């Protein structure tokens, strides 16, 4: 394989829990909330899908937000509007917390790399395999990689909001292959979303899926990638 493309959230990194997310924002804003209320609100935020990068939400997106939600990764403005929009389904003790929650999820402190991410990226780099990150996202994730010491192993970042297209549109995968100088037929896409990341197959890329699980529950989900690359997928 010439190159491996990785999704970001749920693949290389996992966002903090909804309770940790809410607790951090309340602490920074110095807004008190009883512990039982904090847990309840965190559960409601998670259910409506207000935490970007979390596992799929349980409550359907309100009809009025569906058009925005479907296009949310095409720009920074759409991304913020979509997530703060669903967040406003949950009553919070202060109006400024909706934007504060959105801002928190962009912080490197809100993210943890999967346990085997460094090993896999470092090994690929050592083998001379090009590495790209292809993400549906509305903000610059490069600082997250730098803060966690993984930026040195990534050759190119192709982010939906910077290109105005989102996975599964093949143009995003094509841009990544072009940035890496890689033949799409010798490129492997690794992700957790069968629809979005699976779009790479239409370009001719091989595709491998991982499970979107908490970090502690997926210690070695990325290691099979090394065998796939060695065998030519």
């Amino acid at each position: 394989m010439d190159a491996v493309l990785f999704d970001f959230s749920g693949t290389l990194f996992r966002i903090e829990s909804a309770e940790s997310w809410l607790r951090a924002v309340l602490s920074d804003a110095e807004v008190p909330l009883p512990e039982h209320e904090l847990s309840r609100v965190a559960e409601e935020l998670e259910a409506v899908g207000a935490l970007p990068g979390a596992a799929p939400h349980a409550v359907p997106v309100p009809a009025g937000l569906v058009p925005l939600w479907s296009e949310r990764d095409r720009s920074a403005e759409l991304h913020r509007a979509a997530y703060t929009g669903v967040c406003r389904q949950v009553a919070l003790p202060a109006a400024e917390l909706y934007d504060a929650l959105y801002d928190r999820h962009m912080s490197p402190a809100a993210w943890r790399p999967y346990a085997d991410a460094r090993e896999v990226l470092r090994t690929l780099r050592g083998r001379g395999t090009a590495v790209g990150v292809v993400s549906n996202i509305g903000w610059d994730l490069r600082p997250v990689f730098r803060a966690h010491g993984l930026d040195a192993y990534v050759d190119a970042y192709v982010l939906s909001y910077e290109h105005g297209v989102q996975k599964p549109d093949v143009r995003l995968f094509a841009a990544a292959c072009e940035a890496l100088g890689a033949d799409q037929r010798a490129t492997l896409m690794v992700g957790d979303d069968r629809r979005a990341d699976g779009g790479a197959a239409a370009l001719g890329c091989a595709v491998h899926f991982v499970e979107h699980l908490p970090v502690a529950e997926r210690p070695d989900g990325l290691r099979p990638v090394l065998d796939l690359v060695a065998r030519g997928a």
Side-chain angles (χ1 to χ4, degrees):
M1 306 299 288
D2 291 342
V4 181
L5 308 178
F6 289 93
D7 174 50
F8 168 55
S9 175
T11 300
L12 290 175
F13 283 82
R14 171 73 184 228
I15 192 70
E16 65 186 331
S17 69
E19 186 168 318
S20 172
W21 176 53
L22 177 60
R23 191 182 300 278
V25 169
L26 291 172
S27 177
D28 288 345
E30 298 182 346
V31 175
L33 198 63
E35 195 66 24
H36 69 281
E37 279 294 293
L38 190 151
S39 296
R40 179 188 60 78
V41 172
E43 289 176 2
E44 291 181 4
L45 288 168
E46 184 173 25
V48 300
L51 176 56
H57 47 275
V59 177
V61 175
L65 286 175
V66 167
L68 176 62
W69 189 258
S70 66
E71 301 287 315
R72 66 190 182 279
D73 295 312
R74 293 187 187 275
S75 74
E77 296 76 18
L78 289 171
H79 196 267
R80 178 181 287 272
Y83 279 102
T84 55
V86 295
C87 191
R88 285 187 171 88
Q89 296 178 84
V90 178
L92 297 179
E96 63 269 20
L97 293 177
Y98 296 103
D99 277 310
L101 284 167
Y102 183 84
D103 292 338
R104 164 70 186 182
H105 102 276
M106 295 187 287
S107 166
W111 295 88
R112 286 180 60 197
Y114 282 94
D116 55 348
R118 182 183 303 276
E119 173 196 345
V120 169
L121 294 177
R122 183 176 59 229
T123 301
L124 291 172
R125 170 55 63 85
R127 292 177 179 176
T129 304
V131 172
V133 172
V134 184
S135 178
N136 278 354
I137 200 164
W139 49 276
D140 186 4
L141 52 72
R142 295 172 183 87
V144 175
F145 280 78
R146 288 195 293 269
H148 290 277
L150 298 185
D151 181 65
Y153 307 118
V154 179
D155 299 294
Y157 297 90
V158 178
L159 311 181
S160 61
Y161 85 103
E162 294 180 339
H163 291 261
V165 294
Q166 59 190 33
K167 298 181 289 186
D169 193 315
V170 296
R171 289 177 291 176
L172 209 61
F173 305 109
C177 290
E178 182 178 357
L180 296 173
D183 183 338
Q184 62 265 33
R185 294 164 296 182
T187 297
L188 174 66
M189 175 66 206
V190 181
D192 67 296
D193 187 319
R194 280 160 173 72
R195 177 179 177 274
D197 300 312
L203 189 66
C205 301
V207 180
H208 175 69
F209 297 110
V210 295
E211 294 300 319
H212 189 140
L213 295 171
V215 168
E217 296 177 24
R218 210 194 76 193
D220 54 7
L222 291 168
R223 288 198 179 97
V225 170
L226 298 177
D227 291 334
L228 288 170
V229 171
R231 298 199 312 263

